[in-house]
Amino acid sequence: MNTLSLRALNRALMHRQFLLARTDRAPVEVIGRLVALQAQEPNWPYVGLRSRIHGFTQSELTALLEDRQVVRSGLLRSTQHLAAADDFRRLRPLLQPVLDRTAGSPHFTRNSTEARRLAERHPGRDGRILAGEFELRTPLVHGAATGAWGSWGNRSAVSVTPAEAWLGKPMVTAATAAGIKDSAKELIRRYLAAFGPAGVKDVQAWCGLTRLGEVVADMHAELRRYCGPDGVELIDLADAELPDPETRAPVRLLPAFDNALLGHADRTRVVSDEDRKRVMPGQAQVRPTFRVDGRVHGTWSLGAGTLRLTPFRPLCATDRAALHQEADRLLPFVGGTTVSCSDTAATPSS
């Protein structure tokens, strides 16, 4: 097996995530390529698409939600995601055991009374937790307004509709063990197209399913195998392109919970272990980041109209200029007026 360096893995990921160059593909096609976009806070997927698509506007994604081509619901890793409607119909039944496992965790069971009609019927119970359990166990789609561009942070109220009623089509359920395995194979192919090359543990961390090693072993003839920099076996689609590792990756500002950060168990291809602790400080936080040459180099935030850049280490003059140019381009999209950067010292140009 060929051994791939961290840089080679980084460039493969950046290419497949449309982060080496923005694409002209339609937003629904990009969402499908990425499988789903994490969307606990509704505005962040818009920023993620803006970082990947030429000329993307908020109205394009809002229209897809209103037209029911894209839905917002619990999906991968039991968290809120945006997915193409047909993908949701296929993926949610496959991933339902993961959501059921989460719904059966102590966080929910200590509060649960079967999650029926929630707070009014169960005085003394936490209605939000009951609602969360019900959504995990039952495929529900959030109303378009819940996922629309608007104020930052979670919405105070969420309207939901049973998925089949919202989509006007039944969910696609595999009736046999062979059918479930075939669905899992297709999920692995979709994952590799967006995140590969990767290890089995990476796939499992991304989707929440377990025992995928057995499925991958059954796909032996259609997959290419590599050795990662740590000696772990990696798999990929046989015809997947690997860009030149020396390809320069442009500066990008990415949203909180971005796919390119959360798609692997081993995230060292995009962020060092030290920097990861700054990006993921605990309590389910995953901060917005910016990438310099494909790797996380700092975080950014928006408040009182100011987009604040916080590098983790000094930037060379060339990278600093590119970062400010990209931040200036993002500024009107997120409703900001000013860019500030905490890095006052720059190393010589490279």
Side-chain angles (χ1 to χ4, degrees):
M1 293 186 291
N2 292 335
T3 297
L4 298 177
S5 66
L6 276 181
R7 187 176 178 88
L9 293 174
N10 177 277
R11 291 306 183 267
L13 179 63
M14 295 299 100
H15 171 66
R16 297 180 196 191
Q17 291 281 317
F18 303 109
L19 294 172
L20 281 185
R22 285 184 170 91
T23 181
D24 291 319
R25 297 187 189 190
V28 69
E29 186 179 353
V30 172
I31 293 170
R33 167 66 176 268
L34 303 178
V35 187
L37 294 174
Q38 198 156 333
Q40 296 98 309
E41 297 182 15
N43 281 3
W44 289 123
Y46 290 79
V47 178
L49 291 175
R50 188 261 168 208
S51 299
R52 292 169 165 87
I53 301 173
H54 284 295
F56 173 77
T57 63
Q58 292 96 331
S59 62
E60 292 178 89
L61 179 53
T62 299
L64 291 173
L65 290 163
E66 292 172 346
D67 293 344
R68 306 189 182 190
Q69 294 184 58
V70 169
V71 299
R72 182 179 190 257
S73 185
L75 196 61
L76 298 163
R77 303 183 302 280
S78 302
T79 56
Q80 299 299 327
H81 279 74
L82 296 184
D86 282 344
D87 283 344
F88 179 77
R89 291 176 54 238
R90 290 174 173 80
L91 294 178
R92 175 68 190 241
L94 177 65
L95 297 171
Q96 190 59 51
V98 180
L99 283 80
D100 288 340
R101 188 170 68 235
T102 302
S105 68
H107 175 73
F108 292 101
T109 56
R110 65 171 176 261
N111 190 70
S112 176
T113 53
E114 308 239 337
R116 301 290 182 191
R117 196 47 191 157
L118 314 181
E120 302 104 24
R121 296 191 182 181
H122 305 294
R125 303 287 181 175
D126 187 320
R128 292 179 66 87
I129 294 178
L130 286 170
E133 179 186 353
F134 188 73
E135 184 178 359
L136 288 168
R137 295 190 184 279
T138 307
L140 301 173
V141 172
H142 292 191
T146 302
W149 178 267
S151 59
W152 294 90
N154 288 312
R155 306 292 184 255
S156 60
V158 177
S159 65
V160 295
T161 303
E164 292 188 350
W166 181 266
L167 298 171
K169 296 179 180 179
M171 305 298 280
V172 181
T173 304
T176 64
I180 293 172
K181 178 175 276 192
D182 286 343
S183 296
K185 288 179 181 179
E186 182 57 28
L187 181 66
I188 291 167
R189 295 184 193 105
R190 296 282 301 278
Y191 170 83
L192 292 174
F195 296 93
V200 173
K201 290 183 178 179
D202 293 316
V203 188
Q204 294 182 159
W206 168 76
C207 68
L209 292 170
T210 58
R211 299 182 180 178
L212 291 182
E214 302 169 13
V215 181
V216 169
D218 200 40
M219 300 171 68
H220 176 82
E222 65 177 276
L223 298 177
R224 183 181 300 167
R225 282 167 166 74
Y226 297 99
C227 184
D230 56 359
V232 172
E233 182 182 79
L234 305 178
I235 56 173
D236 201 9
L237 300 174
D239 59 353
E241 179 183 352
L242 292 180
D244 185 342
E246 298 308 312
T247 303
R248 182 73 178 175
V251 169
R252 289 287 184 265
L253 276 73
L254 298 178
F257 312 107
D258 189 71
N259 282 35
L261 184 63
L262 299 180
H264 302 84
D266 179 0
R267 294 163 180 159
T268 54
R269 70 185 66 195
V270 292
V271 63
S272 68
D273 289 335
E274 178 186 0
D275 289 347
R276 179 176 52 80
K277 295 173 184 176
R278 301 177 181 180
V279 175
M280 305 175 190
Q283 298 183 330
Q285 294 183 72
V286 182
R287 292 171 174 160
T289 62
F290 63 83
R291 304 287 177 89
V292 174
D293 198 29
R295 295 187 61 80
V296 171
H297 200 103
T299 60
W300 65 276
S301 61
L302 183 70
T306 299
L307 194 161
R308 295 178 175 85
L309 302 166
T310 306
F312 295 153
R313 59 195 61 83
L315 293 155
C316 73
T318 301
D319 289 339
R320 183 181 175 85
L323 175 61
H324 276 266
Q325 288 171 2
E326 185 68 9
D328 286 339
R329 286 190 286 264
L330 178 63
L331 199 60
F333 186 92
V334 297
T337 56
T338 308
V339 174
S340 70
C341 184
S342 62
D343 175 34
T344 56
T347 56
S349 274
S350 61

